[in-house]
Amino acid sequence: MSLFAWLRPASASLTPEQQQRRDRLPAPAPLGECSLRQQRWVVLDLETSGLNLNRDQVLSIGAVVIEDGAIDFSQQFERTLLRVDHKLSPSVLIHGLGPSAIAAGCDPAQALLDFMEFVGDSPVLAFHAPFDQHMLGRALKDSLGYRLQHSFMDIAELAPLLCPQANIREAGLDDWIDWFKLQVGERHHAAADALATAELALILFSRARQQQIHSPLNLQQRLNQWKRRQQAPSF
């Protein structure tokens, strides 16, 4: 039995070719001391059938890559709508996802394999990253028997850390877009939201360098320190 066989639930029914692709996925790299500019980042946005972490499903995946200090438009990922088998909440209409579009979605295992090959060993950025990390991790476990172990960093936490003068700690993505006066043509669509998040991330990386934060590891350490201060009781 493979060392990782215990990670693969019996519900993950894959073809031999899909199993080979899953087994060839690279191990995630830890956050290191290279410069923020040198690091390849995958900026992720998911559209889901709702906000229930244990019941709702991933409907679509959008992602872009930040590399060499810029958004690399030659590296973009979008999978229209993962197919789901139960009746969806009307809330999905906010994403423009009608029943015919959802029914035409690609096979979840195929889409998730494509995405993880796109991610490679890179760390992931997302707005409200714990939600995306949990939903993606559950989808990967259910469809591929794969355990997600990549580093995730939350733009919703980095923004107030690096821009305390904004005084909008509990802000959503739209609030930060407005605060930085970003021109975003489309929202509530996975690919478009990933691009907006990537634009925000580039501004934050610039602010980080101004504050003598130069590496992904240093940024994570500074974020951890900030979160501990936020959680400390005040007297």
Side-chain angles (χ1 to χ4, degrees):
M1 177 180 291
S2 165
L3 176 63
F4 299 104
W6 66 276
L7 296 174
R8 302 168 186 164
S11 59
S13 178
L14 303 178
T15 67
E17 185 266 341
Q18 288 173 333
Q19 291 177 17
Q20 291 174 5
R21 289 177 63 193
R22 178 197 61 191
D23 295 343
R24 288 198 300 265
L25 291 173
L31 294 175
E33 297 184 358
C34 66
S35 71
L36 292 171
R37 183 178 296 273
Q38 290 175 318
Q39 177 66 61
R40 179 184 187 266
W41 303 89
V42 173
V43 187
L44 166 69
D45 186 81
L46 301 178
E47 302 296 356
T48 64
S49 60
L51 300 178
N52 188 296
L53 292 171
N54 298 313
R55 183 182 65 244
D56 286 303
Q57 298 186 40
V58 175
L59 298 180
S60 63
I61 303 173
V64 297
V65 166
I66 293 176
E67 196 165 23
D68 296 326
I71 298 171
D72 184 350
F73 288 98
S74 70
Q75 299 186 69
Q76 299 186 68
F77 184 94
E78 184 174 11
R79 284 296 175 274
T80 2
L81 323 169
L82 302 181
R83 184 173 62 247
V84 292
D85 299 322
H86 68 279
K87 186 176 180 180
L88 296 174
S89 164
S91 66
V92 303
L93 295 177
I94 194 174
H95 309 304
L97 310 181
S100 61
I102 294 170
C106 56
D107 172 63
Q110 189 69 29
L112 290 164
L113 281 168
D114 291 345
F115 178 64
M116 293 311 297
E117 289 170 346
F118 175 83
V119 172
D121 65 354
S122 300
V124 179
L125 297 169
F127 199 92
H128 293 148
F131 177 80
D132 291 80
Q133 185 176 15
H134 181 93
M135 295 297 287
L136 178 62
R138 186 162 62 83
L140 288 166
K141 181 180 179 182
D142 291 346
S143 294
L144 300 180
Y146 176 88
R147 183 183 178 191
L148 180 66
Q149 294 182 296
H150 289 65
S151 297
F152 275 67
M153 201 171 289
D154 191 358
I155 295 296
E157 294 178 336
L158 288 178
L161 162 67
L162 299 169
C163 306
Q165 68 276 19
N167 197 29
I168 49 175
R169 181 185 170 195
E170 302 298 328
L173 181 57
D174 284 320
D175 297 302
W176 286 107
I177 288 172
D178 291 342
W179 197 78
F180 285 112
K181 297 180 170 60
L182 294 175
Q183 299 300 314
V184 177
E186 187 179 5
R187 284 281 281 110
H188 302 300
H189 180 275
D193 286 357
L195 180 58
T197 303
E199 292 175 358
L200 178 56
L202 288 176
I203 296 173
L204 296 176
F205 288 161
S206 176
R207 298 293 178 97
R209 289 189 290 269
Q210 293 170 12
Q211 297 174 41
Q212 305 304 308
I213 303 172
H214 294 294
S215 72
L217 179 60
N218 189 200
L219 183 58
Q220 183 65 70
Q221 291 169 338
R222 190 73 65 90
L223 179 60
N224 291 342
Q225 293 169 359
W226 177 84
K227 289 167 66 176
R228 285 196 292 270
R229 289 196 300 271
Q230 299 302 312
Q231 296 165 1
S234 57
F235 298 98

